[in-house]
Amino acid sequence: MDIKYTFLGHPALLCNDIEAEKKFYIDVMGFEEAFTLFHDDGTPWLTYIEITDNQFLELFHTKYPSPNRTSERSFHHFCLEVDDMAATLEMLKSKGVTVYRGPVDNGRVMDVPNHDHQPGMCGTLCAFIRDPEGNDIELQQYTPCSMQIRESGREAV
């Protein structure tokens, strides 16, 4: 019998400044706090942020000792699929978020609105942003020519 996976449940991030992270994901990105779990002594352990039904981001109230630089960690980024890239980027920029064309470390800031936004190598529209802890977030909108759509048999939104 084959295993049937239904979703990627959540990426999990350690947070040196949990309040800044929560503010970013709730106030800027527009997600909602689902719940917080606590240690036996009553101190917060982790907070779940709801992205969509059955899709979460897990924020650990756990500091990490090293710089959180992309080139020095295994984790590279996580990706959020959006249904309207232009509107998403406009909203984020209006909240002071810098939008990048490609990974943030490339340093190519994207002009928003960007009416000449061309699909990337896999046929999707994509842009990158960074949260307060320095974690990169890819924003992606599938198009009819997206390899993810063509290969899965799914339809683009």
Side-chain angles (χ1 to χ4, degrees), residues 21-56:
E21 286 289 88
K22 285 169 54 175
K23 182 175 176 54
F24 176 79
Y25 286 105
I26 294 167
D27 296 346
V28 175
M29 298 298 289
F31 303 137
E32 293 184 19
E33 182 173 331
F35 58 88
T36 297
L37 298 177
F38 296 87
H39 292 286
D40 290 341
D41 66 3
T43 59
W45 174 36
L46 60 87
T47 297
Y48 265 74
I49 303 295
E50 186 172 14
I51 297 172
T52 64
D53 291 342
N54 299 318
Q55 300 274 279
F56 297 91

Side-chain angles (χ1 to χ4, degrees), residues 12 30-31 33 36 41-42 46 51-52 58 62 69-70 77 80 84-85 90 92 112 116 137 142 151:
F31 303 137
E33 182 173 331
T36 297
D41 66 3
L46 60 87
I51 297 172
T52 64
E58 193 175 64
T62 306
R69 289 186 278 248
T70 306
H77 69 272
L80 299 170
D84 186 336
M85 182 66 78
E90 284 288 339
L92 291 170
V112 175
D116 68 338
I137 304 164
Y142 292 137
E151 296 301 318

Side-chain angles (χ1 to χ4, degrees), residues 146-154:
S146 294
M147 293 174 79
Q148 296 91 331
I149 298 300
R150 291 192 332 238
E151 296 301 318
S152 71
R154 220 175 111 184

Side-chain angles (χ1 to χ4, degrees), residues 100-115:
Y100 296 87
R101 183 184 306 276
V104 174
D105 285 348
N106 290 348
R108 297 177 298 161
V109 175
M110 182 183 288
D111 292 328
V112 175
N114 184 358
H115 301 293

